[in-house]
Amino acid sequence: DQQVKQNSPSLSVQEGRISILNCDYTNSMFDYFLWYKKYPAEGPTFLISISSIKDKNEDGRFTVFLNKSAKHLSLHIVPSQPGDSAVYFCAAISAGGTSYGKLTFGQGTILTVHP
Amino acid sequence: EPEVTQTPSHQVTQMGQEVILRCVPISNHLYFYWYRQILGQKVEFLVSFYNNEISEKSEIFDDQFSVERPDGSNFTLKIRSTKLEDSAMYFCASSEMAGTASSTDTQYFGPGTRLTVL
């Protein structure tokens, strides 16, 4: 199931700089997108989401951008902090039809923020 | 802040044995889910549950799996006869709503149960 793809397995960033994590999707029925952060041996922690009727959503240091025509979304973290080091998952939901909230996840990107 | 809880944190079992994984979703949430993550792989959807019945299930969720909400707070996943390939982290999640394409669809996850089948 490759409907949601995160093509960068890892990203290394200096503290204070911007982190940009990317995600592509193929299913045009997806209409709600989420980013989760995950530490080892813990559950995914919700970060930020965006509905398909928007192209940007911002929450503090986190901003998610959605380009529907390109089927691409990105998460920007500014400024990056060492505590942001974790695995970041992109996930998508198709709200319509018979899909009752099934989240489809990407493979994840390991973000390392160096002091 | 309300959170999803799961027990046990780690379960070790012999192949062929039954296991029950337990979850307490966030109290005002109506939709409940189970996901799993095999080591090194993606988080995969197993099943969604609403109004005391399964709403959707994946091809992974075969006859060996079942879910139940035995009371007003717990949500359980039962694997009847475990196989080696069932070894994974199992995550429970809950959401207020589903199908609205808005913030009420956001799913909140528990810390997971690590299932090891020997």
Side-chain angles (χ1 to χ4, degrees):
Chain A
D1 182 354
Q2 292 291 308
Q3 296 187 71
V4 179
K5 291 188 207 177
Q6 293 174 256
N7 291 317
S8 299
S10 63
L11 175 67
S12 183
V13 171
Q14 203 71 28
E15 180 178 7
R17 307 295 290 266
I18 185 170
S19 295
I20 300 177
L21 298 109
N22 293 303
C23 177
D24 297 294
Y25 63 95
T26 56
N27 187 343
S28 57
M29 297 298 292
F30 288 146
D31 48 16
Y32 190 62
F33 303 89
L34 308 92
W35 284 94
Y36 287 88
K37 174 181 178 179
K38 187 179 180 302
Y39 294 113
E42 292 186 13
T45 300
F46 170 70
L47 275 176
I48 192 168
S49 61
I50 188 166
S51 167
S52 60
I53 61 172
K54 296 185 174 180
D55 55 19
K56 178 182 172 181
N57 188 26
E58 190 170 353
D59 184 3
R61 296 186 297 116
F62 301 92
T63 303
V64 55
F65 295 91
L66 174 62
N67 182 335
K68 278 189 69 178
S69 59
K71 294 192 177 66
H72 177 84
L73 64 155
S74 61
L75 174 68
H76 292 209
I77 307 174
V78 181
S80 302
Q81 299 171 354
D84 295 330
S85 298
V87 182
Y88 287 77
F89 290 97
C90 167
I93 296 177
S94 169
T98 58
S99 180
Y100 290 88
K102 170 187 171 182
L103 273 176
T104 300
F105 281 85
Q107 306 94 314
T109 296
I110 302 170
L111 175 65
T112 304
V113 180
H114 298 283
Chain B
E1 187 172 319
E3 58 181 18
V4 177
T5 60
Q6 290 185 243
T7 55
S9 57
H10 192 187
Q11 174 89 48
V12 181
T13 189
Q14 295 290 325
M15 190 168 56
Q17 294 297 303
E18 174 183 288
V19 294
I20 297 176
L21 310 183
R22 291 183 167 80
C23 168
V24 178
I26 294 172
S27 61
N28 66 327
H29 284 186
L30 301 177
Y31 289 80
F32 315 115
Y33 313 87
W34 284 100
Y35 293 83
R36 79 173 185 190
Q37 187 180 28
I38 294 171
L39 189 63
Q41 298 186 22
K42 283 188 179 188
V43 177
E44 301 174 288
F45 169 81
L46 290 178
V47 65
S48 58
F49 190 86
Y50 168 71
N51 200 25
N52 279 318
E53 56 184 38
I54 289 173
S55 303
E56 186 177 2
K57 60 183 180 180
S58 72
E59 59 276 7
I60 303 168
F61 194 88
D62 61 21
D63 291 345
Q64 293 300 312
F65 291 86
S66 62
V67 288
E68 193 178 33
R69 189 155 162 84
D71 54 43
S73 60
N74 289 284
F75 179 51
T76 62
L77 174 69
K78 182 193 289 187
I79 309 175
R80 268 180 266 282
S81 177
T82 50
K83 302 188 280 282
L84 295 175
E85 54 266 37
D86 293 329
S87 295
M89 283 289 289
Y90 287 81
F91 297 108
C92 173
S94 68
S95 64
E96 286 183 65
M97 295 294 292
T100 68
S102 71
S103 61
T104 53
D105 285 10
T106 298
Q107 295 180 25
Y108 295 88
F109 284 76
T113 293
R114 178 172 298 281
L115 176 65
T116 302
V117 182
L118 302 176

